[in-house]
Amino acid sequence: MLVGCSRQQSPYIHDVLLPMTPVKNQGQTNACWAYAMLATIETEHILRGDSINLSGVYVARIENRRAMCQTLLNIIQHEGIVPYDVLPDDTPANLKAPKWVFMLGARYTPKEFAHSVCAPDEYLALTSLPDSPYYNKVEVPVPDNWEHNRFLNLPIDTLRQHVDQALHHRHPVCWESREHAMEIVGLAHDAKQQTYYIMKNSWGLDQPHEGLVYMPVDQMWSDMIAVYMTQEAFAICSVSK
């Protein structure tokens, strides 16, 4: 289930690379926000010794508009989620979503299953808006935030510390820009000592680096609208201070 860590003939040297489920393909949907947040939840479970692989198709059928990753967290709390093998990326459009999830000899509704996957308020939504008060919840003023979700607003340097410390302590981070969302699964550098965030994309394996994206650090932060991590991951930076 886990993607191997080796990347032959890669110019990048991995400093941190977290385990992950196989790269998915969102196809023609607008659901990168769902795939990115589900990937983050999956990696978090792997690092806890659990193994889950979740269906982006299930979420995209509920909401296929552009959205923010918080929308995924809201959907799984209210509508549930199902495993990937029940509704994989190539699921025919006429195949209905199941009413039940069967796992380890037990039967769950998709909502019951979702609550075992992600607890309410398990993840923090974070942003950095210099024109809004720091250390307060603020609404991110972008069209994708049509739900009017609110985010904890932090100074950019503080937010960067939280993200980097989370990765170094083996917690994934979900990243969102105005155009796309991906899971951050690691850190890397090249021969010139330029540094990169390693992203797990959702455009399938027919991409460079087997579906991973090596994004320069400066680009990641200049494009960042919001990031998401667990409460546990967020607390690491506070403790380390």
Side-chain angles (χ1 to χ4, degrees):
M1 185 174 180
L2 305 187
V3 173
C5 294
S6 62
R7 294 290 183 272
Q8 292 183 354
Q9 299 179 340
S10 172
Y12 304 104
I13 300 167
H14 293 162
D15 302 306
V16 176
L17 182 61
L18 303 181
M20 66 197 90
T21 52
V23 171
K24 298 183 176 71
N25 192 340
Q26 70 187 71
Q28 299 301 311
T29 73
N30 292 314
C32 63
W33 50 272
Y35 280 80
M37 195 68 233
L38 290 175
T40 305
I41 294 170
E42 290 164 358
T43 292
E44 189 71 41
H45 273 262
I46 292 170
L47 293 166
R48 297 173 187 174
D50 192 8
S51 181
I52 59 169
N53 198 7
L54 304 171
S55 173
V57 170
Y58 180 86
V59 178
R61 287 183 175 185
I62 295 170
E63 183 55 72
N64 195 25
R65 287 180 288 178
R66 288 173 57 96
M68 298 190 77
C69 298
Q70 182 65 43
T71 301
L72 179 280
L73 297 172
N74 298 340
I75 285 174
I76 65 173
Q77 292 304 320
H78 295 102
E79 304 290 341
I81 192 66
V82 300
Y84 179 82
D85 59 1
V86 174
L87 288 178
D89 291 340
D90 59 355
T91 299
N94 61 354
L95 182 64
K96 294 182 179 180
K99 294 183 178 180
W100 302 103
V101 174
F102 297 91
M103 185 165 290
L104 301 176
R107 186 180 75 169
Y108 305 90
T109 66
K111 189 173 179 179
E112 290 170 339
F113 176 67
H115 290 175
S116 72
V117 165
C118 182
D121 300 322
E122 182 175 346
Y123 282 83
L124 276 173
L126 307 164
T127 191
S128 184
L129 299 177
D131 295 332
S132 298
Y134 290 132
Y135 303 103
N136 285 273
K137 292 286 186 75
V138 299
E139 184 175 323
V140 176
V142 296
D144 290 353
N145 191 22
W146 43 264
E147 285 188 311
H148 305 288
N149 292 305
R150 297 175 67 81
F151 299 71
L152 179 61
N153 191 32
L154 298 176
I156 192 67
D157 290 344
T158 301
L159 183 55
R160 180 168 176 167
Q161 290 175 358
H162 278 284
V163 168
D164 291 352
Q165 285 294 316
L167 293 169
H168 280 293
H169 286 81
R170 298 181 63 75
H171 288 279
V173 176
C174 189
W175 169 88
E176 187 158 9
S177 71
R178 291 182 183 272
E179 301 299 329
H180 197 41
M182 294 184 283
E183 178 196 16
I184 310 177
V185 294
L187 296 160
H189 67 277
D190 62 18
K192 296 180 180 179
Q193 297 304 308
Q194 293 180 313
T195 54
Y196 303 82
Y197 287 101
I198 309 172
M199 310 284 210
K200 180 189 179 187
N201 205 355
S202 53
W203 294 346
L205 291 172
D206 189 21
Q207 299 288 325
H209 311 295
E210 299 181 7
L212 297 184
V213 172
Y214 291 82
M215 183 175 291
V217 166
D218 290 346
Q219 179 185 344
M220 181 281 213
W221 286 109
S222 65
D223 292 349
M224 186 275 307
I225 296 296
V227 296
Y228 308 77
M229 65 182 72
T230 62
Q231 299 268 3
E232 180 183 354
F234 182 81
I236 288 169
C237 189
S238 301
V239 171
S240 66
K241 292 178 181 178

